[in-house]
Every structure is written in structure tokens, then in C-alpha cells.
Amino acid sequence: MKKNVKIRLFKDNGRYSAPVFVGLNDYTALIPRGVEVSVPYAVAKMLEESQQQDAATALLITRMTGEYEVRAAEMG
């Protein structure tokens, strides 16, 4: 984890306002939201992949909810 990159985590006044704890190997940090910070490249990559997985999960939940509602309507 030698190369550092600058990142800025999304911040709002609700769910996305608390700092984010990250731990990777011997690196740990509490990363504030809404300000630019420098982190190791591997940490930035891990956070990016986590955001992509969150988006994929949200899409899956939306799709499955729609399927459930269709089946529920067919039954009743």
C-alpha cells in the first residue's frame, strides 16, 4: 500500500454523514465524509468496489420486490 490517492466520500445530512471505518491489512482509518483525503490506492479500490456492490444489491432488491409484488397480485 505505497501509492496514495485522493478521495472524497459522499456526504448528506442523513444516512451518509458518519465517518467510514476502513481496515485493510495493517492500515486502519476513520475516513470523514465530504472532505478530500489521501488514502492508499488499495483502500480507495476497496471502497469503490464496496460502492459497486451496494449498487448491485440495491438493483437486486428492487427487482425481487417487483417480482414478489407481481406474484402477490396474481394470488389475491
Side-chain angles (χ1 to χ4, degrees), residues 44-71:
K45 185 71 173 163
M46 179 181 68
L47 288 167
E48 178 183 337
E49 289 171 358
S50 176
Q51 289 175 337
Q52 291 172 351
Q53 186 60 51
D54 287 348
T57 300
L59 286 173
L60 179 61
I61 289 170
T62 299
R63 190 188 89 220
M64 292 184 77
T65 299
E67 290 172 4
Y68 170 80
E69 289 173 351
V70 167
R71 280 189 261 160

Side-chain angles (χ1 to χ4, degrees), residues 28-39:
T28 59
L30 197 56
I31 301 175
R33 291 181 173 274
V35 295
E36 192 172 86
V37 296
S38 181
V39 298

